[in-house]
Amino acid sequence: MSDILVSKNKLRAKIYWWLERPDREAWGPKLLEVALVVLIILNVGAVILETVDSIYQSWEGAFNVFEGISLCIFILEYLLRLWIVPENQDSPSRISWMRSPIAIIDLLAILPALLYLFIPIDLRILRTFRMLRLLKLTRYSPALGMLLAVFEEEAGAFFAGFFILMLMLIFAASGAWLAEHTVQPNAFGSIPQAMWWAVATLTTVGYGDVTPITVAGKIFGALITVIGIGMAALPAGIIASGLNEQIHRRRSSLQREFRKALEDGIICQQEEEDIEALRKQLGLSRRTADHIREAVHSEKETKIGATCQHCGKPFKAP
Amino acid sequence: MSDILVSKNKLRAKIYWWLERPDREAWGPKLLEVALVVLIILNVGAVILETVDSIYQSWEGAFNVFEGISLCIFILEYLLRLWIVPENQDSPSRISWMRSPIAIIDLLAILPALLYLFIPIDLRILRTFRMLRLLKLTRYSPALGMLLAVFEEEAGAFFAGFFILMLMLIFAASGAWLAEHTVQPNAFGSIPQAMWWAVATLTTVGYGDVTPITVAGKIFGALITVIGIGMAALPAGIIASGLNEQIHRRRSSLQREFRKALEDGIICQQEEEDIEALRKQLGLSRRTADHIREAVHSEKETKIGATCQHCGKPFKAP
Amino acid sequence: MSDILVSKNKLRAKIYWWLERPDREAWGPKLLEVALVVLIILNVGAVILETVDSIYQSWEGAFNVFEGISLCIFILEYLLRLWIVPENQDSPSRISWMRSPIAIIDLLAILPALLYLFIPIDLRILRTFRMLRLLKLTRYSPALGMLLAVFEEEAGAFFAGFFILMLMLIFAASGAWLAEHTVQPNAFGSIPQAMWWAVATLTTVGYGDVTPITVAGKIFGALITVIGIGMAALPAGIIASGLNEQIHRRRSSLQREFRKALEDGIICQQEEEDIEALRKQLGLSRRTADHIREAVHSEKETKIGATCQHCGKPFKAP
Amino acid sequence: MSDILVSKNKLRAKIYWWLERPDREAWGPKLLEVALVVLIILNVGAVILETVDSIYQSWEGAFNVFEGISLCIFILEYLLRLWIVPENQDSPSRISWMRSPIAIIDLLAILPALLYLFIPIDLRILRTFRMLRLLKLTRYSPALGMLLAVFEEEAGAFFAGFFILMLMLIFAASGAWLAEHTVQPNAFGSIPQAMWWAVATLTTVGYGDVTPITVAGKIFGALITVIGIGMAALPAGIIASGLNEQIHRRRSSLQREFRKALEDGIICQQEEEDIEALRKQLGLSRRTADHIREAVHSEKETKIGATCQHCGKPFKAP
């Protein structure tokens, strides 16, 4: 009995090492990761190809088999990840893991297909929801994680930007409706209808399927476009600027770590590994880390070479 | 008589507490705020739905009743806010309150409907102006307040950007008129007409309802588009960069407050409340405040832990 | 004789005071400035309205008279500005003034009309060139001057951006020509023809008058569009970021001036005027100046209140 | 024999001086550089003009002769650059030079034409590949080199941006296919077909050749457009912000050099030359260098002029 528990725990630790251990360098887990990424991409490719009638009709069987196998793998992956949660010292319980965004994405990747077993909904709509498996790639991209952190942090400014865009859209649609609804009752017959033109215009897409034709409508449309282009670009500007801030902050984090490591004049093996782990966690490139290392070193040297402006004596080498 | 005055003052203080007291935590005023926001959104929704003929014809009575009730509530709100002005120590007089942007927005939300009682103008146009009630939401969004502050502050650069855009628009329209007015007299017959094409092109909307067809017109159009895209994006860039600056400045403000509070080594309850009030006033997120708190703490620790490079002794704890 | 010289010099100084003296507060020169700005705007308005046939036919005489008067005023203005050059201590000679960008703009505003007196060219084209008078507004907008400084300074990065855009345009046009020239010989018959589609696509204008219809063309078009949008936005990003840098640098300039003025603890009247003159020259808003003043003051206070970390004694008040 | 070796080495050094020596001021190599740039531009111009049938038919012979001569020059240039590699102390071997991006571009400029000698492929496609010669201009533009460095450095964030764009494109195409495939089987019959609409919409190109016509499709299209515009602009924002960072870093580099040179109070001739070489290598403008020089000088003066706040004595001049 205790033997089983021990071997169970050993197995769980083994699986944790394969699936979740950070900074694993062994080729086994690396290959597994690549295989999972390839499987996700193949799944999305399959969803896309299934919508092409000629391909679907010739290969329906193959698609179904592939979907079955994929579903089994993703279910197994979800259950294993749930099982090995206690192996990670930082995450407290299985319930809290299940509520983490990354676990919800894993669940969304298998849920639609499972639902079908119980509730018979339209297979066509269902197939499209398999697209959600694409989100599973988030786990493997630190840079994407950085972008999501930016969204989370700049949420306030971001929603303010969207709110202004909404305001502009509603005003644009109201004005266009006022000017055009008698002349073009099909395209501008009501504010919700005019909204289609407003969205296409303020986002600068400008399909041209619907355009104002009265003089008043054209003048109003020109004014609202000129005023509106700045507004529509706001969310993009906010994200870009937030991303800049985020990268800056993460670089500072790494820089602090470098400085701390260099306090005794040398970066030992353990410190190198800590810095490398932090670098990966922050999603910074090796090149960026090298730039920071260089800057910290040169800063160190300046300090050593400099003399105190009070007493004229050189600073002590640390 | 004096009793009435006292009870009147008590009532005014009570209403002030319900409507305007900052940082109120009681559920009553919070619920009232939510109710007012919902009422504004319902109003805008009603204006939008009224323009759909089929809906308007079936529900005309309900729309009129809803408009009547809403108008009464907004008038009451305006009068109450005007009455309680003296309760706020910072705002000097009722007249100056009435001239504040937020009070003008409140007035604009009721004025069009009131005007109708005296001057019989077209109800259709009037209904659209009820859209202005949307602006009342400004009061409830600190992030939006931040964006408005950016507009105010970067007004100089912003108008310079718009001025350049105007220049580009006039030059583009002149050139297109020159090249196309003989071939397409309907679309490019005069500079004001060619302006419609210029706006659609330089803002990159590009409806395609009007395009140059002569070789000269196409060459000119291509050149002005390539040169112009940078100009049209300028206002957006200016706002985004100003917003960045604004957020940075507000963060510095909060940081200063944190540092001041931490000077004696600990942040007491009163200081916490002051910082929280400042945070809300500045429209910063709780997350941002936590980041700043962390940075100030770690900065503090560095200082305490560091030793003077001259004498080797640790710096005194403040 | 000497009397005439003295009175001539007096007159020149008087005109200099009216036309060019910086920071003049008298209402006379201010009114003159406003009048000149209004005249420029009326001129541009006249050029625009003249292209509307119905308006031109009814008011041809009035337009001609107005043009004549305007031309005389602009010629007089140019000659006067040329005459008073020696009054300005900073500008060395009349020749160098004539080669300054602002003088060239003034000349361009009168040259086309003068040319007509000697060379009989098409009046229609000539009329459009009167649009150049719009550039005369540059003189009156410090913020616009700031933008021009940014263009000058970021010229390197800006041309790099344009160069990449050119590369993208040529590659896009080549690819589209390769894919589409057999199917759509009218729209994609040669690379120069395909360039019209490339410009409309990469600048995201997207008229839709010409689009790829083959599968290869659509795939290539989609790829080049996705890759290209980042490139086309580069010049705008460079300008916006350069503007940010420029504003930052100018604020630092003003801050230095404030700090220097505050060194003796107080800002005297003369210093206030110097700061105000610098603020106008830098094109910064009064609000920005107030922010800087506040920051410098608070920085001063911090320094006075702080104690030396070496000896524990407070810093000397400067 | 030894004589030949010496003269060979002398010749190689001579050619190195003509082709590759940095900061050469002699007019000979400068003229050669200009000639090569002009040749590249003429080549690209020839490729463009050859696609215009009328021009090609009249001038076919001239085009062929020009292509032959150009090809010979480019082959000669490549071989010479390969031969003189050992002259440059920094680059280790010919093999590593051949693998450098700039050498690969040089090879790409001649390879397609050489291939034709051995494998008879369609001349038309081949001609277009001569467009790759445009990339040879990279060598002559330091600012372009800066942009490429930004791409390299921000690759992580950049691919994250593209990955999000891919996600948006796939989701947009899936949704549009779901809503429209029964009504518009030609335009939205499968997800790959709907991708054409998705690309045109999310990049805000908006040709309008394909637009949703069902209510569900329009609502979905409007939502995805509003959400998507921020995403599509991300790569541009990342590049612009990275470019900003890059310029900042390069300016800091030059500033450090200036400070080091000024440590002894004066910038000697040798130091001036070093700074100038660094400036060119970093691709910074002379104007920027002057700004930095000024700032470093004024910083120096402040330090010299300042007095210690502890003892009141002036800091020692270094």
Side-chain angles (χ1 to χ4, degrees):
Chain A
M1 175 71 194
S2 146
D3 259 28
I4 294 168
L5 198 76
V6 166
S7 75
K8 199 191 101 181
N9 276 345
K10 265 192 185 163
L11 180 68
R12 207 172 68 178
K14 192 90 194 164
I15 291 170
Y16 177 70
W17 182 81
W18 275 79
L19 276 176
E20 299 258 11
R21 228 196 63 172
D23 303 321
R24 51 186 185 281
E25 296 296 322
W27 63 268
K30 277 220 158 159
L31 218 70
L32 180 66
E33 192 178 302
V34 170
L36 283 172
V37 169
V38 167
L39 185 68
I40 294 165
I41 292 170
L42 285 179
N43 259 273
V44 171
V47 178
I48 290 174
L49 290 179
E50 278 180 40
T51 63
V52 184
D53 281 337
S54 60
I55 295 175
Y56 187 60
Q57 273 149 21
S58 323
W59 299 89
E60 196 175 347
F63 279 125
N64 289 345
V65 169
F66 178 68
E67 166 59 13
I69 295 170
S70 301
L71 190 60
C72 290
I73 294 174
F74 288 138
I75 291 172
L76 186 69
E77 188 202 346
Y78 183 79
L79 293 177
L80 284 178
R81 282 193 200 276
L82 182 64
W83 186 47
I84 62 177
V85 166
E87 292 290 325
N88 188 354
Q89 284 94 346
D90 299 340
S91 75
S93 73
R94 285 198 174 104
I95 296 295
S96 70
W97 178 81
M98 286 177 75
R99 269 182 269 160
S100 70
I102 215 157
I104 289 169
I105 286 171
D106 279 355
L107 194 63
L108 281 176
I110 52 175
L111 216 62
L114 287 181
L115 268 181
Y116 183 62
L117 298 178
F118 305 105
I119 314 146
I121 36 172
D122 182 5
L123 197 64
R124 273 244 146 126
I125 294 173
L126 207 69
R127 282 201 310 215
T128 319
F129 281 103
R130 276 190 285 143
M131 277 299 177
L132 292 169
R133 285 176 192 167
L134 208 53
L135 293 175
K136 279 173 78 80
L137 290 176
T138 318
R139 189 193 303 274
Y140 308 107
S141 162
L144 192 67
M146 185 147 71
L147 276 177
L148 292 177
V150 170
F151 281 114
E152 212 179 335
E153 195 152 321
E154 303 289 330
F158 199 64
F159 279 114
F162 262 118
F163 178 64
I164 288 192
L165 183 57
M166 277 302 126
L167 244 84
M168 294 292 302
L169 284 177
I170 291 175
F171 280 127
S174 306
W177 167 78
L178 212 62
E180 299 280 329
H181 74 279
T182 48
V183 187
Q184 299 190 77
N186 284 328
F188 293 94
S190 66
I191 292 181
Q193 274 179 292
M195 202 64 98
W196 177 244
W197 168 82
V199 167
T201 298
L202 285 181
T203 60
T204 76
V205 170
Y207 293 119
D209 55 345
V210 181
T211 52
I213 52 173
T214 64
V215 172
K218 283 190 174 185
I219 291 172
F220 175 79
L223 280 178
I224 206 91
T225 307
V226 167
I227 296 167
I229 43 165
M231 308 301 110
L234 259 185
I238 289 163
I239 294 176
S241 133
L243 194 71
N244 202 4
E245 180 90 17
Q246 186 72 234
I247 291 172
H248 194 79
R249 191 148 57 210
R250 291 182 178 214
R251 278 177 186 162
S252 297
S253 264
L254 201 62
Q255 198 172 24
R256 268 203 296 277
E257 198 70 19
F258 265 117
R259 266 199 210 121
K260 221 186 281 172
L262 250 181
E263 243 167 35
D264 54 359
I266 200 147
I267 300 179
C268 69
Q269 189 57 30
Q270 179 57 39
E271 284 168 344
E272 278 292 1
E273 277 171 26
D274 287 357
I275 287 170
E276 181 62 17
L278 182 68
R279 184 191 69 73
K280 277 189 186 170
Q281 193 197 317
L282 295 175
L284 294 170
S285 70
R286 237 173 262 272
R287 175 179 285 264
T288 307
D290 288 348
H291 273 296
I292 294 170
R293 180 192 302 267
E294 213 169 276
V296 170
H297 267 289
S298 92
E299 175 187 282
K300 199 79 193 171
E301 274 161 36
T302 315
K303 239 188 220 158
I304 292 173
T307 54
C308 175
Q309 292 190 299
H310 300 272
C311 51
K313 283 184 282 190
F315 286 123
K316 292 173 196 180
Chain B
M1 175 70 194
S2 146
D3 259 28
I4 293 169
L5 197 75
V6 167
S7 76
K8 198 191 101 182
N9 276 346
K10 266 193 186 161
L11 180 68
R12 207 173 69 178
K14 191 89 194 164
I15 291 170
Y16 177 69
W17 182 81
W18 275 79
L19 276 175
E20 299 259 11
R21 227 197 62 172
D23 302 322
R24 52 186 184 279
E25 297 297 322
W27 63 268
K30 276 219 158 158
L31 218 69
L32 180 66
E33 191 177 303
V34 170
L36 283 172
V37 169
V38 168
L39 185 68
I40 293 165
I41 292 170
L42 285 179
N43 259 274
V44 171
V47 177
I48 290 174
L49 290 179
E50 278 180 40
T51 63
V52 184
D53 280 339
S54 59
I55 295 175
Y56 186 61
Q57 274 148 20
S58 323
W59 298 89
E60 197 176 346
F63 278 127
N64 290 345
V65 170
F66 178 68
E67 166 59 14
I69 295 170
S70 301
L71 189 59
C72 290
I73 294 174
F74 289 138
I75 291 172
L76 186 68
E77 189 202 344
Y78 184 79
L79 293 177
L80 282 178
R81 281 193 200 276
L82 182 63
W83 186 45
I84 62 178
V85 166
E87 292 290 323
N88 188 352
Q89 283 94 347
D90 300 340
S91 76
S93 73
R94 284 197 176 106
I95 296 295
S96 70
W97 179 82
M98 284 177 77
R99 268 182 269 161
S100 70
I102 217 157
I104 289 168
I105 285 172
D106 280 355
L107 194 63
L108 281 176
I110 52 174
L111 216 62
L114 287 181
L115 268 181
Y116 184 62
L117 298 178
F118 305 105
I119 313 146
I121 37 171
D122 181 6
L123 196 64
R124 272 246 147 125
I125 295 173
L126 207 68
R127 282 201 310 214
T128 319
F129 280 104
R130 275 189 287 143
M131 277 298 176
L132 292 169
R133 285 176 193 169
L134 209 52
L135 292 175
K136 280 173 78 81
L137 290 176
T138 319
R139 188 194 303 274
Y140 308 106
S141 162
L144 192 67
M146 185 147 71
L147 276 177
L148 292 178
V150 170
F151 282 114
E152 211 179 334
E153 195 152 323
E154 303 288 331
F158 199 64
F159 279 113
F162 261 119
F163 178 63
I164 288 192
L165 184 56
M166 275 303 126
L167 244 83
M168 294 291 303
L169 283 176
I170 292 175
F171 279 127
S174 305
W177 167 78
L178 212 62
E180 299 280 329
H181 74 280
T182 48
V183 187
Q184 299 189 77
N186 283 328
F188 294 93
S190 68
I191 292 181
Q193 273 179 293
M195 202 64 98
W196 176 244
W197 168 83
V199 167
T201 298
L202 285 181
T203 60
T204 76
V205 169
Y207 292 121
D209 56 344
V210 182
T211 52
I213 53 173
T214 65
V215 172
K218 284 190 174 186
I219 291 172
F220 175 80
L223 280 179
I224 206 90
T225 308
V226 168
I227 296 167
I229 43 165
M231 307 302 111
L234 258 185
I238 289 163
I239 293 176
S241 131
L243 194 71
N244 203 4
E245 181 90 16
Q246 186 72 234
I247 290 173
H248 194 79
R249 192 146 59 208
R250 291 185 177 210
R251 278 178 186 161
S252 296
S253 266
L254 201 62
Q255 200 172 24
R256 268 203 296 277
E257 197 71 18
F258 265 116
R259 268 202 208 117
K260 221 187 281 172
L262 251 181
E263 243 167 36
D264 54 359
I266 200 147
I267 300 178
C268 69
Q269 189 57 31
Q270 179 57 39
E271 285 168 344
E272 278 292 1
E273 276 171 28
D274 287 357
I275 288 170
E276 181 63 16
L278 182 67
R279 185 191 68 74
K280 277 190 186 169
Q281 193 198 318
L282 294 175
L284 294 171
S285 70
R286 235 172 262 274
R287 176 179 286 264
T288 307
D290 287 348
H291 273 295
I292 293 169
R293 179 192 302 267
E294 216 169 275
V296 169
H297 267 289
S298 91
E299 172 187 284
K300 198 80 194 171
E301 273 160 36
T302 315
K303 237 186 223 161
I304 292 173
T307 55
C308 174
Q309 291 189 301
H310 299 272
C311 50
K313 282 184 284 189
F315 287 125
K316 291 173 196 183
Chain C
M1 176 69 194
S2 146
D3 259 27
I4 293 169
L5 198 76
V6 167
S7 75
K8 199 189 103 182
N9 276 345
K10 265 194 187 162
L11 180 68
R12 206 172 70 178
K14 192 90 194 164
I15 291 170
Y16 177 69
W17 182 81
W18 274 80
L19 276 176
E20 299 258 13
R21 226 195 63 171
D23 303 320
R24 53 185 184 280
E25 295 297 322
W27 64 268
K30 276 218 159 160
L31 218 69
L32 180 66
E33 192 177 304
V34 170
L36 283 172
V37 169
V38 168
L39 185 69
I40 294 165
I41 293 170
L42 285 179
N43 259 274
V44 172
V47 178
I48 291 175
L49 290 179
E50 279 180 41
T51 63
V52 184
D53 281 338
S54 59
I55 295 175
Y56 186 61
Q57 274 149 20
S58 324
W59 299 89
E60 197 176 345
F63 279 126
N64 289 345
V65 169
F66 178 67
E67 166 59 14
I69 295 169
S70 301
L71 190 60
C72 291
I73 294 173
F74 289 137
I75 292 172
L76 185 69
E77 188 202 345
Y78 184 80
L79 293 176
L80 283 177
R81 282 192 200 277
L82 182 63
W83 185 46
I84 62 178
V85 166
E87 292 291 324
N88 188 354
Q89 285 94 348
D90 299 340
S91 75
S93 74
R94 284 200 174 103
I95 297 294
S96 70
W97 179 81
M98 284 177 77
R99 268 183 270 162
S100 70
I102 217 157
I104 289 169
I105 286 172
D106 279 355
L107 193 63
L108 282 176
I110 52 175
L111 216 62
L114 286 182
L115 268 180
Y116 184 62
L117 298 178
F118 305 105
I119 314 146
I121 36 173
D122 182 6
L123 196 64
R124 272 243 147 128
I125 295 173
L126 206 71
R127 281 202 311 216
T128 318
F129 281 104
R130 276 190 285 143
M131 276 300 176
L132 292 169
R133 286 175 192 170
L134 208 51
L135 292 174
K136 280 173 77 82
L137 289 176
T138 319
R139 188 194 302 272
Y140 308 106
S141 161
L144 192 66
M146 185 147 71
L147 277 177
L148 292 177
V150 170
F151 282 114
E152 211 179 335
E153 195 152 324
E154 303 289 329
F158 199 64
F159 280 113
F162 262 119
F163 178 63
I164 289 192
L165 184 56
M166 276 303 127
L167 243 84
M168 295 291 302
L169 284 176
I170 292 175
F171 279 126
S174 306
W177 167 79
L178 212 62
E180 299 280 330
H181 75 279
T182 48
V183 187
Q184 299 189 76
N186 283 328
F188 293 94
S190 67
I191 292 180
Q193 273 179 294
M195 202 64 98
W196 176 243
W197 168 83
V199 167
T201 298
L202 285 182
T203 59
T204 78
V205 169
Y207 293 120
D209 55 345
V210 182
T211 52
I213 53 173
T214 65
V215 172
K218 283 191 175 186
I219 291 172
F220 175 80
L223 280 179
I224 206 90
T225 308
V226 167
I227 297 167
I229 43 165
M231 307 303 111
L234 259 184
I238 289 164
I239 294 176
S241 132
L243 194 71
N244 203 2
E245 181 89 17
Q246 187 72 233
I247 290 173
H248 194 79
R249 192 148 56 210
R250 290 182 179 213
R251 278 178 186 161
S252 296
S253 264
L254 202 61
Q255 199 171 23
R256 268 203 297 277
E257 197 70 20
F258 265 117
R259 270 204 207 114
K260 220 187 282 171
L262 250 182
E263 243 166 33
D264 55 359
I266 200 148
I267 301 178
C268 68
Q269 189 56 32
Q270 179 56 39
E271 284 167 344
E272 278 292 1
E273 276 170 28
D274 287 357
I275 288 171
E276 181 62 16
L278 183 66
R279 185 191 68 75
K280 277 190 187 168
Q281 192 198 318
L282 295 174
L284 295 170
S285 70
R286 236 172 262 274
R287 175 178 286 263
T288 307
D290 287 348
H291 273 296
I292 294 170
R293 179 193 301 266
E294 215 169 275
V296 170
H297 267 289
S298 91
E299 173 187 283
K300 198 80 193 171
E301 273 161 35
T302 315
K303 238 188 222 157
I304 291 174
T307 55
C308 174
Q309 292 190 301
H310 299 272
C311 52
K313 282 184 283 189
F315 287 122
K316 292 174 196 183
Chain D
M1 175 69 193
S2 146
D3 259 28
I4 293 169
L5 197 76
V6 166
S7 77
K8 198 191 103 182
N9 276 345
K10 265 193 186 161
L11 180 67
R12 206 172 69 179
K14 191 90 194 163
I15 291 170
Y16 177 70
W17 182 80
W18 274 79
L19 276 177
E20 300 258 13
R21 229 196 61 172
D23 302 320
R24 52 187 185 280
E25 296 296 322
W27 64 268
K30 276 218 158 160
L31 218 70
L32 180 66
E33 192 177 303
V34 170
L36 283 171
V37 169
V38 168
L39 185 68
I40 294 165
I41 292 169
L42 285 179
N43 259 274
V44 171
V47 177
I48 291 174
L49 290 179
E50 278 179 40
T51 63
V52 184
D53 280 339
S54 60
I55 295 175
Y56 187 60
Q57 275 149 20
S58 325
W59 299 89
E60 197 176 345
F63 279 126
N64 290 345
V65 169
F66 178 67
E67 166 59 13
I69 296 170
S70 302
L71 190 60
C72 291
I73 294 173
F74 290 138
I75 292 172
L76 186 69
E77 188 201 347
Y78 184 80
L79 294 176
L80 283 178
R81 282 193 200 277
L82 182 63
W83 186 47
I84 62 177
V85 166
E87 292 291 325
N88 188 354
Q89 284 94 346
D90 300 339
S91 76
S93 74
R94 284 199 175 104
I95 296 295
S96 69
W97 178 81
M98 285 177 75
R99 268 183 270 161
S100 69
I102 216 156
I104 289 169
I105 286 171
D106 280 355
L107 194 63
L108 282 176
I110 52 174
L111 216 62
L114 286 182
L115 268 180
Y116 183 64
L117 297 179
F118 305 105
I119 314 145
I121 35 172
D122 181 7
L123 196 65
R124 272 246 147 127
I125 295 172
L126 207 71
R127 282 201 309 215
T128 319
F129 280 103
R130 277 189 285 143
M131 276 298 176
L132 292 168
R133 284 174 193 169
L134 208 51
L135 292 175
K136 280 172 77 82
L137 290 176
T138 320
R139 189 194 303 273
Y140 308 107
S141 161
L144 192 66
M146 185 148 70
L147 276 176
L148 292 177
V150 170
F151 282 115
E152 211 179 335
E153 195 151 323
E154 303 289 330
F158 198 65
F159 279 114
F162 261 120
F163 178 64
I164 288 192
L165 184 57
M166 275 302 126
L167 244 84
M168 295 290 303
L169 283 176
I170 292 176
F171 279 127
S174 305
W177 167 78
L178 212 62
E180 300 279 329
H181 73 280
T182 48
V183 188
Q184 299 190 76
N186 283 328
F188 293 94
S190 66
I191 292 181
Q193 273 179 293
M195 202 65 97
W196 176 244
W197 168 82
V199 168
T201 298
L202 285 181
T203 60
T204 76
V205 169
Y207 293 121
D209 56 344
V210 182
T211 51
I213 52 172
T214 65
V215 172
K218 284 191 173 184
I219 291 173
F220 175 81
L223 280 178
I224 206 90
T225 309
V226 167
I227 296 168
I229 42 165
M231 307 302 110
L234 259 185
I238 289 163
I239 294 176
S241 132
L243 193 71
N244 202 3
E245 180 88 18
Q246 187 72 233
I247 290 172
H248 194 79
R249 192 148 56 210
R250 291 183 178 213
R251 278 177 186 164
S252 296
S253 265
L254 201 61
Q255 199 171 24
R256 268 203 296 277
E257 197 71 19
F258 265 118
R259 269 203 206 115
K260 222 186 280 171
L262 250 181
E263 244 166 33
D264 55 359
I266 200 148
I267 300 179
C268 68
Q269 190 55 31
Q270 178 58 38
E271 284 167 344
E272 278 291 2
E273 276 170 28
D274 287 357
I275 287 170
E276 181 63 16
L278 183 67
R279 184 191 70 74
K280 277 190 187 168
Q281 192 197 318
L282 294 175
L284 294 171
S285 70
R286 235 173 262 273
R287 175 180 286 263
T288 307
D290 288 347
H291 274 295
I292 294 169
R293 179 193 301 267
E294 214 169 277
V296 170
H297 267 289
S298 90
E299 175 187 281
K300 197 80 193 171
E301 273 160 35
T302 316
K303 239 186 220 158
I304 292 174
T307 55
C308 174
Q309 291 190 300
H310 298 273
C311 50
K313 283 184 281 190
F315 288 124
K316 293 172 194 185

